[in-house]
């Protein structure tokens, strides 16, 4: 009895503050992954994201182009019905192969650059939102150089109404008729759009994910970052993607105008000057023209980001498990 009484105090649990969650303090596991792991995870995530949401992107592109006819307000339902009526359901997927060819390599660059930059800029601090935002900007500058040419081909096929025979026919005709520079006519605008888009997206994603860990640690598995539930990734991704999409819609409209100029009656600009495009849009459609397609853009990027981040983190977890089993 004496022995039991003496050892009883050692068995008492140590009281913790009500908001103490050990799982929140788990460090990042990305150090266990090689560079090619991040590239494969990003490539798969980007391809799944864009392929799944492609019809919404087609509707957005149709809403944002300026045609030679008088401009009228076009809603999502009206744009959808117009595409189905005039071109058929298959038109919603026209250009999807161009998207597939561009999205995989671009997202491989995108996520690998992000992870590497975040590792060196954050200084080991997982709560460094500035490092997340700057890393996102570095990632988008690099990935846009890969993605912009195929994005231009994709948008021309989306509104071309049979003008091109496919991806390679579009590439050859653009090279022959407009030159190599046409593939990068919107690159400056794309970077100016995607830099703030990615900064907002990544910073919001990391902040929301961290907040969900702190507020609702039950969403996080016992293994920490490797076992976070898909709900956390999807929620944080949707919040980041949706917010960033709405804030950067005006620049997305400018990008669409530059990439689709001269196709099927779309307005052709004298130069690729961003200022000229802005002035033309405001002159022809008013300031509301800069917000064209904001709703389908948000409806595209919120679920697309949820799909993308869920897929990316899942593939990363798979590689963690494989590495752990091989160790």
């Amino acid at each position: 009895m004496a022995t039991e009484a003496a050892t009883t105090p050692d068995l008492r649990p140590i009281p913790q503050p009500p908001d103490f969650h050990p799982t929140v303090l788990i460090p990042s596991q990305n150090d266990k992954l090689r560079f090619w792991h991040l590239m494969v995870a990003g490539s798969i995530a980007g391809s799944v994201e864009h392929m799944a949401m492609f019809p919404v992107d087609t509707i957005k592109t149709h809403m944002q182009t300026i045609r030679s006819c008088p401009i009228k307000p076009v809603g999502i339902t009206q744009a959808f019905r117009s595409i189905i009526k005039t071109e058929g359901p298959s038109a919603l997927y026209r250009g999807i192969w161009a998207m597939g060819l561009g999205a995989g390599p671009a997202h491989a660059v995108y996520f690998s650059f992000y992870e590497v930059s975040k590792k060196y800029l954050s200084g080991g601090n997982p709560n460094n939102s500035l490092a997340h935002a700057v890393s996102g900007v570095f990632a988008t500058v690099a990935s846009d150089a890969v993605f912009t040419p195929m994005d231009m081909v994709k948008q021309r096929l989306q509104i071309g109404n049979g003008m091109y025979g496919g991806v390679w026919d579009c590439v050859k005709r653009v090279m022959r008729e407009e030159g190599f520079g046409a593939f990068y006519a919107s690159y400056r605008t794309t970077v100016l759009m995607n830099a703030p888009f990615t900064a907002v997206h990544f910073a919001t994603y990391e902040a929301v994910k961290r907040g969900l860990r702190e507020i609702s640690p039950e969403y996080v598995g016992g293994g920490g970052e490797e076992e976070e539930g898909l709900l956390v990734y999807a929620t944080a991704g949707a919040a980041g993607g949706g917010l960033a999409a709405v804030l950067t819609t005006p620049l997305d409209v400018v990008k669409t105008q530059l990439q689709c100029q001269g196709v099927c009656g779309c307005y052709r600009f004298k130069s690729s000057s961003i200022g000229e495009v802005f002035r033309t849009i405001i002159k022809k459609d008013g300031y509301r023209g800069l917000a064209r397609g904001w709703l389908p853009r948000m409806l595209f990027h919120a679920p697309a980001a949820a799909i993308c981040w869920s897929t990316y983190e899942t593939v990363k977890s798979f590689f963690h498990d494989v590495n752990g089993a091989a160790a």
Side-chain angles (χ1 to χ4, degrees):
M1 297 295 291
T3 301
E4 181 179 351
T7 58
T8 298
D10 294 336
L11 302 177
R12 292 175 183 173
I14 299 175
Q16 304 289 357
D19 60 347
F20 178 80
H21 305 308
T23 54
V24 175
L25 304 179
I26 302 278
S28 172
Q29 303 296 317
N30 285 337
D31 290 341
K32 297 181 180 179
L33 294 181
R34 297 181 180 179
F35 190 76
W36 72 267
H37 288 148
L38 301 175
M39 294 192 74
V40 171
S43 179
I44 295 173
S47 297
V48 172
E49 164 199 358
H50 285 285
M51 297 293 208
M53 301 303 300
F54 194 81
V56 181
D57 183 66
T58 298
I59 293 172
K60 182 217 72 165
T61 299
H62 276 261
M63 292 176 65
Q64 289 183 338
T65 53
I66 290 181
R67 311 278 179 150
S68 56
C69 56
I71 299 173
K72 299 179 181 178
V74 178
I76 295 178
T77 303
Q78 183 180 354
F80 174 76
R81 289 176 177 173
S82 175
I83 294 170
I84 297 297
K85 181 178 179 180
T86 59
E87 304 176 56
S90 63
L92 293 171
Y93 290 91
R94 193 166 51 227
I96 194 170
W97 295 118
M99 173 63 77
L101 290 171
H107 279 73
V109 173
Y110 186 79
F111 280 104
S112 55
F113 266 68
Y114 172 69
E115 294 286 6
V116 172
S117 298
K118 183 176 72 171
K119 175 183 176 181
Y120 287 101
L121 294 177
S122 64
N125 177 14
N127 300 329
N128 191 336
S129 296
L130 179 60
H132 299 153
V134 174
S135 298
V137 173
F138 287 158
T140 197
V141 171
S143 65
D144 283 344
V146 177
F147 188 61
T148 297
M150 277 300 152
D151 187 49
M152 184 275 284
V153 173
K154 181 263 299 183
Q155 289 201 311
R156 291 198 175 201
L157 290 172
Q158 283 176 320
I159 67 165
N161 194 19
M163 179 178 177
Y164 299 104
V167 174
W168 299 120
D169 179 56
C170 181
V171 171
K172 289 185 292 185
R173 289 180 58 181
V174 170
M175 279 289 292
R176 183 174 64 251
E177 298 171 6
E178 303 176 50
F180 181 77
F183 291 103
Y184 284 93
S186 68
Y187 179 66
R188 287 180 300 173
T189 307
T190 301
V191 171
L192 286 175
M193 174 188 70
N194 283 339
F197 176 93
T198 308
V200 173
H201 183 176
F202 278 61
T204 303
Y205 172 77
E206 297 285 359
V208 172
K209 189 170 71 169
R210 184 171 65 249
L212 288 174
R213 292 182 197 163
E214 295 172 352
I215 296 172
S216 303
E218 64 270 15
Y219 288 136
V220 183
E225 187 175 354
E226 297 181 44
E227 297 182 12
E228 286 178 327
L230 290 178
L231 181 60
V232 172
Y233 303 140
T235 302
L243 177 61
V246 172
L247 294 178
T248 57
T249 294
L251 285 168
D252 186 54
V253 175
V254 173
K255 184 204 75 167
T256 300
Q257 303 289 348
L258 286 171
Q259 293 190 158
C260 297
Q261 57 182 320
V263 179
C264 288
C266 291
Y267 187 84
R268 180 172 289 280
F269 300 93
K270 296 179 180 178
S271 71
S272 58
S273 165
I274 297 174
E276 181 195 345
V277 180
F278 265 114
R279 289 191 293 271
T280 301
I281 293 172
I282 294 172
K283 179 180 179 180
K284 290 180 170 291
D285 201 18
Y287 286 98
R288 69 179 181 183
L290 296 174
R292 277 183 175 270
W294 75 268
L295 183 55
R297 178 168 163 77
M298 184 187 70
L299 292 177
F300 172 89
H301 280 286
I307 294 170
C308 185
W309 280 109
S310 299
T311 305
Y312 177 67
E313 300 283 8
T314 300
V315 176
K316 275 176 43 180
S317 295
F318 169 77
F319 284 130
H320 282 310
D321 294 340
V322 171
N323 287 348

